[in-house]
Amino acid sequence: MIEFSNVTKRFGKVTALDNLSATINKGKITGIMGPNGAGKSTMLKLIIDINKPTFGDVMIGGQRVSVETKKRISYLPEVDYFYPWMRVIDAKEFIKPFYSDWDEEAYKELLTFLELDESMKINKISKGMRAKVKLLLSFSRRADIVLLDEPLSGIDIFTRAKIIETIIKDYRVGEQSIVITTHEVDEIENVIDEALFLDKGQIALAGEVESLKEKMNLSVIDIMKEVYNDGK
Ligand SMILES: Nc1ncnc2c1ncn2[C@@H]1O[C@H](COP(=O)(O)OP(=O)(O)OP(=O)(O)O)[C@@H](O)[C@H]1O
């Protein structure tokens, strides 16, 4: 379980998270949704310990985030982190030594599943393919927690479908926790178990997707419209 307790994160004068408390349950797929600047990426960066809270605590399984908790997390950042000269195999060889839970078999299998080739040069492939390479490297580990920051952003519908398939393919239900930030709510509404709707660094609505849908008698996309249009 990942727990945010009264977390405020400020960048200078900007308050990215504003006294936010939230729980991300273990063994579930959780979607963090919200408009640009709502604080979605900041939540992930606090979990992976790239940023520190200004106030409050982020705990993972009862432990404050640290170098130790970081080892159990696979993080797919929104930005490309590859060096342009790299081939897929170079990117793999570059990151593999950092992780004791690297799973070479999973890597090989995913490479085929995603129709990628190790000799592909990263600066020569399309945006969709680069997104697939990031996904390949994130899912080639036996990580307990997988954080995916906008994995579908700017990707065509066919590649998106493949990315969704990859996310759920070997998902260890009840054991592994996957957290996805996205604007593409309609794409992931059938995949996520739980939803956090963020607005201006605060939780606007949170809950189990099925019960939210039932209670409000709306699809996730319509819940989102209701949450963000309300009072505006
Ligand atoms: N390193 C930083 N320095 C300054 N401001 C930052 C930094 N990181 C985030 N912010 C600001 O914090 C706020 C929340 O940003 P964040 O990236 O978490 O939002 P987001 O919901 O992920 O947005 P998007 O959907 O556009 O990616 C924004 O106003 C952003 O400009």
Short mmCIF file of all heavy atoms in Angstrom, two decimals, residues 42-84:
data_model
loop_
_atom_site.label_atom_id
_atom_site.label_comp_id
_atom_site.label_asym_id
_atom_site.label_seq_id
_atom_site.Cartn_x
_atom_site.Cartn_y
_atom_site.Cartn_z
N THR A 42 3.87 14.61 -10.36
CA THR A 42 4.50 14.90 -9.06
C THR A 42 4.22 13.76 -8.08
O THR A 42 5.12 13.36 -7.33
CB THR A 42 4.01 16.26 -8.52
OG1 THR A 42 4.28 17.25 -9.50
CG2 THR A 42 4.68 16.62 -7.22
N MET A 43 3.01 13.22 -8.09
CA MET A 43 2.71 12.10 -7.19
C MET A 43 3.67 10.93 -7.47
O MET A 43 4.23 10.36 -6.54
CB MET A 43 1.26 11.63 -7.35
CG MET A 43 0.26 12.49 -6.60
SD MET A 43 -1.41 11.77 -6.62
CE MET A 43 -1.30 10.53 -5.32
N LEU A 44 3.86 10.62 -8.75
CA LEU A 44 4.75 9.49 -9.09
C LEU A 44 6.19 9.79 -8.67
O LEU A 44 6.88 8.93 -8.14
CB LEU A 44 4.70 9.18 -10.59
CG LEU A 44 3.37 8.75 -11.20
CD1 LEU A 44 3.58 8.16 -12.59
CD2 LEU A 44 2.64 7.71 -10.33
N LYS A 45 6.61 11.03 -8.90
CA LYS A 45 8.00 11.38 -8.57
C LYS A 45 8.26 11.33 -7.07
O LYS A 45 9.39 11.11 -6.64
CB LYS A 45 8.35 12.75 -9.14
CG LYS A 45 8.54 12.71 -10.65
CD LYS A 45 8.84 14.06 -11.20
CE LYS A 45 8.83 14.04 -12.72
NZ LYS A 45 8.70 15.38 -13.29
N LEU A 46 7.23 11.56 -6.28
CA LEU A 46 7.39 11.44 -4.83
C LEU A 46 7.46 9.97 -4.43
O LEU A 46 8.21 9.60 -3.51
CB LEU A 46 6.23 12.12 -4.09
CG LEU A 46 6.19 13.65 -4.16
CD1 LEU A 46 4.92 14.18 -3.51
CD2 LEU A 46 7.39 14.27 -3.47
N ILE A 47 6.72 9.11 -5.14
CA ILE A 47 6.75 7.67 -4.82
C ILE A 47 8.13 7.09 -5.15
O ILE A 47 8.68 6.30 -4.40
CB ILE A 47 5.64 6.90 -5.58
CG1 ILE A 47 4.25 7.41 -5.18
CG2 ILE A 47 5.75 5.40 -5.31
CD1 ILE A 47 3.10 6.87 -6.05
N ILE A 48 8.70 7.52 -6.29
CA ILE A 48 10.01 6.97 -6.71
C ILE A 48 11.17 7.75 -6.08
O ILE A 48 12.33 7.42 -6.26
CB ILE A 48 10.10 6.90 -8.27
CG1 ILE A 48 11.34 6.17 -8.78
CG2 ILE A 48 10.02 8.25 -8.93
CD1 ILE A 48 11.29 4.70 -8.60
N ASP A 49 10.83 8.79 -5.30
CA ASP A 49 11.83 9.53 -4.53
C ASP A 49 12.72 10.43 -5.40
O ASP A 49 13.86 10.73 -5.04
CB ASP A 49 12.70 8.54 -3.72
CG ASP A 49 13.30 9.17 -2.47
OD1 ASP A 49 12.74 10.17 -1.99
OD2 ASP A 49 14.32 8.66 -1.98
N ILE A 50 12.19 10.84 -6.55
CA ILE A 50 12.91 11.82 -7.38
C ILE A 50 12.72 13.20 -6.73
O ILE A 50 13.61 14.03 -6.72
CB ILE A 50 12.37 11.83 -8.83
CG1 ILE A 50 12.76 10.54 -9.54
CG2 ILE A 50 12.86 13.05 -9.61
CD1 ILE A 50 12.18 10.39 -10.93
N ASN A 51 11.52 13.43 -6.23
CA ASN A 51 11.23 14.67 -5.48
C ASN A 51 10.89 14.31 -4.05
O ASN A 51 10.40 13.21 -3.78
CB ASN A 51 10.02 15.39 -6.10
CG ASN A 51 10.33 16.00 -7.45
OD1 ASN A 51 9.48 16.07 -8.32
ND2 ASN A 51 11.54 16.45 -7.65
N LYS A 52 11.13 15.25 -3.16
CA LYS A 52 10.78 15.05 -1.74
C LYS A 52 9.59 15.94 -1.41
O LYS A 52 9.50 17.06 -1.93
CB LYS A 52 11.95 15.50 -0.84
CG LYS A 52 13.26 14.84 -1.17
CD LYS A 52 13.45 13.59 -0.36
CE LYS A 52 14.80 12.96 -0.66
NZ LYS A 52 14.79 11.51 -0.50
N PRO A 53 8.71 15.47 -0.51
CA PRO A 53 7.60 16.35 -0.12
C PRO A 53 8.10 17.59 0.61
O PRO A 53 9.12 17.52 1.31
CB PRO A 53 6.75 15.49 0.82
CG PRO A 53 7.38 14.15 0.91
CD PRO A 53 8.69 14.19 0.20
N THR A 54 7.41 18.71 0.43
CA THR A 54 7.74 19.91 1.21
C THR A 54 7.23 19.69 2.64
O THR A 54 7.92 19.99 3.61
CB THR A 54 7.06 21.16 0.58
OG1 THR A 54 7.36 21.15 -0.82
CG2 THR A 54 7.55 22.45 1.21
N PHE A 55 6.01 19.15 2.73
CA PHE A 55 5.43 18.73 4.01
C PHE A 55 4.76 17.38 3.81
O PHE A 55 4.37 17.05 2.70
CB PHE A 55 4.35 19.71 4.50
CG PHE A 55 4.82 21.11 4.67
CD1 PHE A 55 4.34 22.11 3.82
CD2 PHE A 55 5.74 21.46 5.66
CE1 PHE A 55 4.77 23.42 3.96
CE2 PHE A 55 6.16 22.77 5.79
CZ PHE A 55 5.68 23.75 4.94
N GLY A 56 4.61 16.66 4.90
CA GLY A 56 3.87 15.39 4.85
C GLY A 56 4.76 14.21 4.53
O GLY A 56 5.98 14.37 4.33
N ASP A 57 4.14 13.03 4.46
CA ASP A 57 4.88 11.79 4.27
C ASP A 57 4.30 10.95 3.15
O ASP A 57 3.09 10.89 2.98
CB ASP A 57 4.79 10.92 5.54
CG ASP A 57 5.62 11.50 6.66
OD1 ASP A 57 6.77 11.88 6.39
OD2 ASP A 57 5.10 11.59 7.78
N VAL A 58 5.21 10.26 2.44
CA VAL A 58 4.78 9.23 1.50
C VAL A 58 5.37 7.91 2.00
O VAL A 58 6.59 7.80 2.18
CB VAL A 58 5.27 9.53 0.07
CG1 VAL A 58 4.77 8.46 -0.89
CG2 VAL A 58 4.81 10.90 -0.40
N MET A 59 4.51 6.96 2.28
CA MET A 59 4.94 5.67 2.85
C MET A 59 4.59 4.55 1.87
O MET A 59 3.53 4.57 1.24
CB MET A 59 4.23 5.39 4.17
CG MET A 59 4.21 6.53 5.17
SD MET A 59 5.78 6.74 6.01
CE MET A 59 5.64 5.48 7.26
N ILE A 60 5.49 3.57 1.79
CA ILE A 60 5.21 2.38 0.96
C ILE A 60 5.30 1.17 1.88
O ILE A 60 6.37 0.91 2.46
CB ILE A 60 6.23 2.26 -0.20
CG1 ILE A 60 6.15 3.50 -1.09
CG2 ILE A 60 5.97 0.98 -0.99
CD1 ILE A 60 7.16 3.54 -2.21
N GLY A 61 4.21 0.46 2.03
CA GLY A 61 4.17 -0.70 2.94
C GLY A 61 4.65 -0.32 4.33
O GLY A 61 5.39 -1.08 4.96
N GLY A 62 4.28 0.85 4.78
CA GLY A 62 4.64 1.29 6.13
C GLY A 62 6.04 1.88 6.27
O GLY A 62 6.43 2.32 7.35
N GLN A 63 6.79 1.91 5.16
CA GLN A 63 8.16 2.47 5.20
C GLN A 63 8.18 3.80 4.47
O GLN A 63 7.61 3.90 3.36
CB GLN A 63 9.09 1.55 4.39
CG GLN A 63 9.94 0.61 5.19
CD GLN A 63 10.87 -0.13 4.21
OE1 GLN A 63 10.42 -0.88 3.36
NE2 GLN A 63 12.16 0.11 4.35
N ARG A 64 8.86 4.78 5.04
CA ARG A 64 8.98 6.05 4.33
C ARG A 64 9.80 5.82 3.05
O ARG A 64 10.72 5.01 3.06
CB ARG A 64 9.67 7.07 5.25
CG ARG A 64 9.70 8.46 4.65
CD ARG A 64 10.04 9.52 5.67
NE ARG A 64 8.94 9.79 6.57
CZ ARG A 64 9.03 9.72 7.90
NH1 ARG A 64 10.16 9.40 8.48
NH2 ARG A 64 7.99 9.98 8.67
N VAL A 65 9.46 6.50 1.95
CA VAL A 65 10.20 6.26 0.69
C VAL A 65 11.69 6.52 0.90
O VAL A 65 12.08 7.46 1.60
CB VAL A 65 9.69 7.10 -0.51
CG1 VAL A 65 8.31 6.68 -0.94
CG2 VAL A 65 9.72 8.58 -0.22
N SER A 66 12.50 5.65 0.29
CA SER A 66 13.94 5.70 0.51
C SER A 66 14.63 4.93 -0.62
O SER A 66 13.96 4.40 -1.51
CB SER A 66 14.27 4.99 1.83
OG SER A 66 13.91 3.63 1.70
N VAL A 67 15.93 4.82 -0.52
CA VAL A 67 16.70 4.03 -1.50
C VAL A 67 16.18 2.59 -1.49
O VAL A 67 16.10 1.93 -2.53
CB VAL A 67 18.20 4.06 -1.12
CG1 VAL A 67 19.02 3.22 -2.07
CG2 VAL A 67 18.70 5.49 -1.11
N GLU A 68 15.82 2.10 -0.32
CA GLU A 68 15.31 0.72 -0.18
C GLU A 68 14.00 0.51 -0.93
O GLU A 68 13.84 -0.45 -1.67
CB GLU A 68 15.12 0.36 1.30
CG GLU A 68 16.39 -0.09 1.99
CD GLU A 68 17.18 -1.13 1.19
OE1 GLU A 68 16.61 -2.18 0.88
OE2 GLU A 68 18.36 -0.87 0.86
N THR A 69 13.04 1.41 -0.71
CA THR A 69 11.72 1.24 -1.35
C THR A 69 11.87 1.42 -2.87
O THR A 69 11.17 0.77 -3.64
CB THR A 69 10.68 2.23 -0.80
OG1 THR A 69 11.13 3.57 -0.98
CG2 THR A 69 10.38 1.99 0.67
N LYS A 70 12.79 2.28 -3.28
CA LYS A 70 13.03 2.57 -4.69
C LYS A 70 13.40 1.30 -5.49
O LYS A 70 13.05 1.17 -6.66
CB LYS A 70 14.20 3.56 -4.75
CG LYS A 70 14.22 4.47 -5.93
CD LYS A 70 15.31 5.49 -5.73
CE LYS A 70 15.41 6.40 -6.91
NZ LYS A 70 16.18 7.60 -6.62
N LYS A 71 14.10 0.40 -4.84
CA LYS A 71 14.56 -0.83 -5.52
C LYS A 71 13.41 -1.69 -6.01
O LYS A 71 13.57 -2.51 -6.90
CB LYS A 71 15.39 -1.68 -4.53
CG LYS A 71 16.76 -1.13 -4.24
CD LYS A 71 17.49 -2.09 -3.33
CE LYS A 71 18.77 -1.46 -2.80
NZ LYS A 71 19.24 -2.10 -1.57
N ARG A 72 12.26 -1.54 -5.37
CA ARG A 72 11.11 -2.40 -5.71
C ARG A 72 10.22 -1.76 -6.77
O ARG A 72 9.17 -2.30 -7.11
CB ARG A 72 10.28 -2.67 -4.44
CG ARG A 72 11.05 -3.44 -3.40
CD ARG A 72 10.43 -3.30 -2.02
NE ARG A 72 8.98 -3.34 -2.04
CZ ARG A 72 8.21 -2.78 -1.11
NH1 ARG A 72 8.75 -2.11 -0.11
NH2 ARG A 72 6.90 -2.87 -1.18
N ILE A 73 10.62 -0.58 -7.25
CA ILE A 73 9.74 0.18 -8.15
C ILE A 73 10.33 0.29 -9.55
O ILE A 73 11.51 0.60 -9.72
CB ILE A 73 9.52 1.61 -7.60
CG1 ILE A 73 8.97 1.54 -6.16
CG2 ILE A 73 8.59 2.39 -8.50
CD1 ILE A 73 8.84 2.89 -5.49
N SER A 74 9.48 0.04 -10.54
CA SER A 74 9.86 0.30 -11.91
C SER A 74 9.10 1.56 -12.36
O SER A 74 7.89 1.64 -12.18
CB SER A 74 9.45 -0.91 -12.76
OG SER A 74 9.77 -0.66 -14.09
N TYR A 75 9.82 2.51 -12.91
CA TYR A 75 9.23 3.81 -13.22
C TYR A 75 9.41 4.14 -14.69
O TYR A 75 10.54 4.11 -15.20
CB TYR A 75 9.93 4.86 -12.34
CG TYR A 75 9.67 6.30 -12.67
CD1 TYR A 75 8.39 6.84 -12.64
CD2 TYR A 75 10.73 7.15 -12.97
CE1 TYR A 75 8.16 8.17 -12.93
CE2 TYR A 75 10.52 8.51 -13.25
CZ TYR A 75 9.23 9.00 -13.23
OH TYR A 75 9.01 10.33 -13.50
N LEU A 76 8.32 4.41 -15.37
CA LEU A 76 8.38 4.83 -16.76
C LEU A 76 8.10 6.33 -16.79
O LEU A 76 6.97 6.76 -16.52
CB LEU A 76 7.33 4.05 -17.57
CG LEU A 76 7.20 4.34 -19.06
CD1 LEU A 76 6.81 3.08 -19.81
CD2 LEU A 76 6.20 5.44 -19.36
N PRO A 77 9.13 7.15 -17.01
CA PRO A 77 8.91 8.59 -16.99
C PRO A 77 8.21 9.07 -18.25
O PRO A 77 8.20 8.37 -19.27
CB PRO A 77 10.33 9.16 -16.90
CG PRO A 77 11.22 8.10 -17.40
CD PRO A 77 10.51 6.78 -17.30
N GLU A 78 7.66 10.28 -18.15
CA GLU A 78 6.95 10.84 -19.30
C GLU A 78 7.94 11.17 -20.43
O GLU A 78 7.65 11.01 -21.60
CB GLU A 78 6.21 12.10 -18.84
CG GLU A 78 5.12 12.55 -19.76
CD GLU A 78 4.31 13.73 -19.19
OE1 GLU A 78 4.61 14.19 -18.07
OE2 GLU A 78 3.41 14.17 -19.89
N VAL A 79 9.12 11.63 -20.04
CA VAL A 79 10.11 12.05 -21.05
C VAL A 79 10.97 10.86 -21.50
O VAL A 79 11.11 9.89 -20.78
CB VAL A 79 11.05 13.14 -20.48
CG1 VAL A 79 10.30 14.43 -20.27
CG2 VAL A 79 11.73 12.68 -19.21
N ASP A 80 11.54 10.98 -22.69
CA ASP A 80 12.49 9.97 -23.17
C ASP A 80 13.79 10.13 -22.41
O ASP A 80 14.30 11.24 -22.26
CB ASP A 80 12.79 10.19 -24.65
CG ASP A 80 11.73 9.53 -25.53
OD1 ASP A 80 10.86 8.84 -24.98
OD2 ASP A 80 11.81 9.71 -26.75
N TYR A 81 14.34 9.03 -21.93
CA TYR A 81 15.60 9.13 -21.19
C TYR A 81 16.75 8.46 -21.92
O TYR A 81 17.82 8.27 -21.37
CB TYR A 81 15.43 8.51 -19.78
CG TYR A 81 14.90 7.09 -19.80
CD1 TYR A 81 15.76 5.99 -19.85
CD2 TYR A 81 13.54 6.85 -19.78
CE1 TYR A 81 15.26 4.70 -19.86
CE2 TYR A 81 13.03 5.56 -19.81
CZ TYR A 81 13.90 4.49 -19.85
OH TYR A 81 13.42 3.21 -19.88
N PHE A 82 16.53 8.13 -23.18
CA PHE A 82 17.58 7.43 -23.92
C PHE A 82 18.60 8.42 -24.49
O PHE A 82 18.26 9.54 -24.81
CB PHE A 82 16.98 6.68 -25.12
CG PHE A 82 15.82 5.82 -24.76
CD1 PHE A 82 14.56 6.06 -25.30
CD2 PHE A 82 15.97 4.74 -23.90
CE1 PHE A 82 13.49 5.26 -24.99
CE2 PHE A 82 14.90 3.94 -23.58
CZ PHE A 82 13.66 4.20 -24.12
N TYR A 83 19.83 7.94 -24.68
CA TYR A 83 20.80 8.70 -25.46
C TYR A 83 20.50 8.40 -26.93
O TYR A 83 20.22 7.25 -27.28
CB TYR A 83 22.22 8.28 -25.12
CG TYR A 83 22.62 8.66 -23.72
CD1 TYR A 83 22.82 7.70 -22.74
CD2 TYR A 83 22.80 10.01 -23.38
CE1 TYR A 83 23.19 8.05 -21.45
CE2 TYR A 83 23.16 10.36 -22.10
CZ TYR A 83 23.35 9.39 -21.13
OH TYR A 83 23.71 9.73 -19.86
N PRO A 84 20.56 9.42 -27.78
CA PRO A 84 20.16 9.21 -29.18
C PRO A 84 20.98 8.15 -29.91
O PRO A 84 20.48 7.50 -30.81
CB PRO A 84 20.37 10.59 -29.82
CG PRO A 84 20.90 11.49 -28.78
CD PRO A 84 20.93 10.78 -27.48
#
